[in-house]
Amino acid sequence: MDDSDTAETVEEDRPPARRRLPSRRSALIAGASALGVAGFAVGAATNTLPFGESVQRLLGTASSGPTGQLGATRVERVWSAARGREVDLLLMLPAKSPQKNLPMSLLLHGLHGSARKAPPTGLQRQLSNDVTRRAVPPFGFVAVDGGDNYWHQVRPGDDPMAMLLEEVPRWLRERGLGGTDGLPFACTGISMGGFGSFLYSRRRVERRQPVRAIAAIAPALMTSWHEMSKRKAFRDAADWASMDPLKNLSATKDIPTGLWCGTEDSFIGGVRRFASEAHPLVVHTGRGKHGDAFNRTAVPGVVGFLGKYVPSA
């Protein structure tokens, strides 16, 4: 029984002369409540609501900011020649109709992850709210499927770094995102993606196209080959050393960097070592293990940090 049925049952107990028709607003709210059940099921997964702003206001879910938009997350399947397969392309936008050439940050997922699993809980809402209240300039995130190879080529025919450097800018340009050149202005990474964010940023420096900022959440900065070798992502210790951020600190030393990591995370040793030797602008450690329970606490800081480096229109 929905709300409109309940209201009708109550009215039946009143004398006929006193029966009143529900107001237009009451009828709309009653109908919207049924719509909300299905709508919130979708919205919980995407942080967007699949109905108009007028209904959102009746349900009490419309943004209190000047735009009244909750942002949008879009996922498409695209062909990656660099990886030799179709991959998901996830676009996290601060508004449903973003500005042309909206600046974008890469968002690199962790081991056994994917583009769809890349965003930590609350990222879409934090981004949309901060942009709406003008706490940060408008920007978005782009994530792609990178496999489990620490964002470099491990096997012939599968090169996720080439995908990031060559294909992602084209995909963004085709969608009117990422500036006129489609280049992400920053790189954000979680766990294995944190390792990848340093490697990607290093490659951008080598191309004389440096990113403006690096944000790494619980980056997989390991201090022993014994541990890294279990990932089967490098030929040998020398191969790993050639790409390890801890052994190549100077490669990204001029790029503003932020680090977030839980004190019970297995990577905290490497993070502390990086912090003591590289002196990043932001270092936040707090109680927490490796996973989303800690990652979600880093979201406000990450959005605020990246917001300082968004290129002007």
Side-chain angles (χ1 to χ4, degrees):
M1 181 179 291
D2 62 20
D3 289 347
S4 59
D5 291 335
T6 302
E8 187 65 21
T9 300
V10 172
E11 290 289 334
E12 287 292 347
D13 293 334
R14 296 179 178 177
R18 297 180 60 187
R19 291 187 63 183
R20 294 176 288 114
L21 290 175
S23 68
R24 182 174 181 272
R25 178 176 174 80
S26 298
L28 282 172
I29 292 175
S33 66
L35 176 62
V37 173
F40 280 118
V42 175
T46 64
N47 284 330
T48 61
L49 295 180
F51 31 76
E53 184 178 342
S54 60
V55 177
Q56 290 180 37
R57 279 197 289 267
L58 287 172
L59 292 171
T61 59
S63 169
S64 59
T67 64
Q69 295 190 11
L70 298 181
T73 298
R74 305 170 185 167
V75 180
E76 303 176 40
R77 293 291 285 176
V78 294
W79 172 258
S80 170
R83 294 208 63 208
R85 68 194 70 193
E86 282 192 338
V87 298
D88 278 345
L89 174 71
L90 180 144
L91 302 171
M92 181 173 285
L93 308 173
K96 295 173 185 176
S97 300
Q99 66 189 49
K100 187 177 181 181
N101 297 326
L102 178 76
M104 301 290 285
S105 171
L106 275 179
L107 177 59
L108 305 184
H109 64 73
L111 192 67
H112 309 313
S114 65
R116 293 172 184 265
K117 297 177 182 178
T121 298
L123 183 59
Q124 173 73 83
R125 186 169 296 277
Q126 187 74 46
L127 175 67
S128 300
N129 287 346
D130 282 4
V131 170
T132 295
R133 63 190 181 88
R134 299 183 180 179
V136 298
F139 72 97
F141 291 94
V142 55
V144 287
D145 296 335
D148 293 333
N149 38 30
Y150 277 71
W151 297 97
H152 74 105
Q153 181 172 300
V154 177
R155 287 164 289 278
D158 186 359
D159 190 344
M161 184 56 66
M163 174 180 64
L164 298 180
L165 293 169
E166 303 291 346
E167 296 179 314
V168 167
R170 173 167 54 82
W171 295 332
L172 290 177
R173 285 197 310 272
E174 290 171 351
R175 290 156 180 80
L177 299 170
T180 55
D181 56 10
L183 286 173
F185 78 94
C187 191
T188 307
I190 299 175
S191 191
M192 180 189 79
F195 181 106
S197 69
F198 289 107
L199 184 58
Y200 169 80
S201 299
R202 176 181 168 186
R203 299 301 184 227
R204 286 279 300 269
V205 169
E206 292 167 354
R207 290 174 166 229
R208 299 184 180 179
Q209 299 173 321
V211 298
R212 290 170 171 255
I214 301 169
I217 303 175
L221 301 179
M222 299 184 197
T223 56
S224 79
W225 170 241
H226 174 71
E227 286 301 315
M228 180 54 85
S229 64
K230 297 176 183 178
R231 275 68 178 176
K232 301 186 184 304
F234 300 91
R235 293 190 305 273
D236 49 35
D239 189 39
W240 168 52
S242 71
M243 290 177 253
D244 179 16
L246 287 172
K247 295 179 177 63
N248 297 275
L249 294 172
S250 63
T252 57
K253 65 181 177 64
D254 295 327
I255 301 174
T257 299
L259 291 178
W260 291 260
C261 190
T263 53
E264 285 71 53
D265 194 307
S266 61
F267 299 138
I268 188 64
V271 169
R272 284 174 171 159
R273 179 176 157 189
F274 187 97
S276 67
E277 297 181 13
H279 308 294
L281 286 181
V282 173
V283 179
H284 173 80
T285 60
R287 186 170 180 82
K289 298 180 180 180
H290 197 72
D292 190 63
F294 175 83
N295 296 345
R296 69 181 67 184
T297 69
V299 164
V302 168
V303 173
F305 174 73
L306 292 174
K308 298 181 187 336
Y309 302 98
V310 177
S312 58

